Amino acid sequence: MSETRKALVTGGSRGIGLQIIQTLLAEGCEVWYLSRSKAAELESELVHHISCDMADRESVASALETVVSEAQEIDILVNNAGITRDGLIMRMKDEAWDDVIAVNLTSVFLTCRRIGRLMATQRKGAIVNISSVVGIMGNGGQTNYAASKAGIIGFSKSLARELSGRNVRVNVVAPGFIETSMTEVLSDKVKDTIKTQIPLGRIGNTEEVAQTVAFLSSDKASYITGQVLAVDGGMAM
Ligand code: NAI
């Protein structure tokens, strides 16, 4: 296998995914990322954007074939794309459920099925799926999101068992509250209340999540598989 590691990241146009791509690039990886829009910050010959709607099976299937034909090998897969459509269960529309499950969970199944097959053939690979502390602890108003993020955990542990014989590791990173556009919509009052529930007393940043993803996808984590690592200031211990 070549020395430059090849990584595939879903999402990545902004927030945690963008930081993950920048961190993997700094670690010497070549990166393909699937998102609807291109990130202006990622102008490099080592980054390849493939336009893709992760909620659409055909769009995902075709983007994955493009990546596989361009990259030939994939060493690292990071499933980062995710959305929220919050609401109390009694008022939750079918679309709010379906959209969140499609982007957050079904897309993980689709990428892991295709890239997991490639990694099994290579007999080498590392998959990191981004869940959330909400998938561990639950959160009122987020039954759809919590179901998708808890689903990622059960899915990843099962996949870790399936692929372990092929030297493919599968782990989960569960961020707590991280400063991104997903959380900037919260008022200062809500943020202050949240901070009281975080033992380290502050909201986290994207760099802290990206460093954990880079670690789990590197050979430094060669004996770690099937684990859920919370990057949450101690919220979910
Ligand atoms: P964000 O809203 O800033 O970014 C979401 C990413 O998902 C973007 O890169 C976007 O390109 C991608 N995306 C969304 N829908 C897509 C679609 N249909 N097709 C293709 N790409 C799509 O969110 P953020 O905060 O960067 O979240 C990244 C991941 O981290 C998500 O899975 C989220 O659930 C998770 N997370 C975030 C936390 C936070 O506090 N920000 C906490 C826990 C988990």
Side-chain angles (χ1 to χ4, degrees), residues 11-17 35-36 52-55 80-83 103 130-132 145 149 175-178 180-183:
S13 56
R14 63 183 201 193
I16 292 172
S35 67
R36 281 175 301 194
C52 179
D53 178 0
M54 298 306 295
N80 157 81
I83 56 167
V103 176
I130 308 296
S131 174
S132 164
Y145 184 75
K149 294 300 186 179
F177 279 93
I178 307 297
T180 66
S181 42
M182 198 178 256
T183 49

Side-chain angles (χ1 to χ4, degrees), residues 33-55:
Y33 73 104
L34 312 184
S35 67
R36 281 175 301 194
S37 57
K38 204 171 168 179
E41 295 90 336
L42 295 174
E43 280 306 328
S44 157
E45 57 189 23
L46 287 175
V47 189
H48 314 275
H49 173 250
I50 314 259
S51 179
C52 179
D53 178 0
M54 298 306 295

Side-chain angles (χ1 to χ4, degrees), residues 74-75 115-127 159-171 224-226:
I74 292 290
D75 302 290
I115 304 302
R117 177 150 51 94
L118 180 66
M119 288 176 168
T121 315
Q122 295 167 184
R123 296 196 166 266
K124 187 175 192 289
I127 298 174
L159 189 64
R161 290 181 187 278
E162 281 190 27
L163 295 180
S164 55
R166 299 297 187 107
N167 192 31
V168 177
R169 298 181 298 103
V170 185
N171 289 292
I224 303 176
T225 196

Side-chain angles (χ1 to χ4, degrees), residues 108 129 151-161 170-172 226:
V108 177
N129 294 326
I152 284 179
I153 294 174
F155 173 87
S156 302
K157 289 184 180 182
S158 306
L159 189 64
R161 290 181 187 278
V170 185
N171 289 292
V172 174

Side-chain angles (χ1 to χ4, degrees), residues 128-144:
V128 181
N129 294 326
I130 308 296
S131 174
S132 164
V133 284
V134 169
I136 300 169
M137 303 166 70
N139 193 24
Q142 289 198 309
T143 49
N144 50 357

Side-chain angles (χ1 to χ4, degrees), residues 40-103:
E41 295 90 336
L42 295 174
E43 280 306 328
S44 157
E45 57 189 23
L46 287 175
V47 189
H48 314 275
H49 173 250
I50 314 259
S51 179
C52 179
D53 178 0
M54 298 306 295
D56 178 341
R57 281 170 186 256
E58 281 175 20
S59 174
V60 175
S62 128
L64 290 174
E65 288 320 311
T66 304
V67 173
V68 170
S69 81
E70 285 181 16
Q72 304 285 313
E73 298 168 347
I74 292 290
D75 302 290
I76 298 165
L77 167 64
V78 182
N79 275 299
N80 157 81
I83 56 167
T84 52
R85 295 279 184 274
D86 297 351
L88 298 174
I89 185 83
M90 282 172 224
R91 283 189 227 127
M92 187 174 289
K93 301 253 189 312
D94 286 0
E95 298 80 60
W97 175 269
D98 291 344
D99 290 353
V100 167
I101 296 298
V103 176

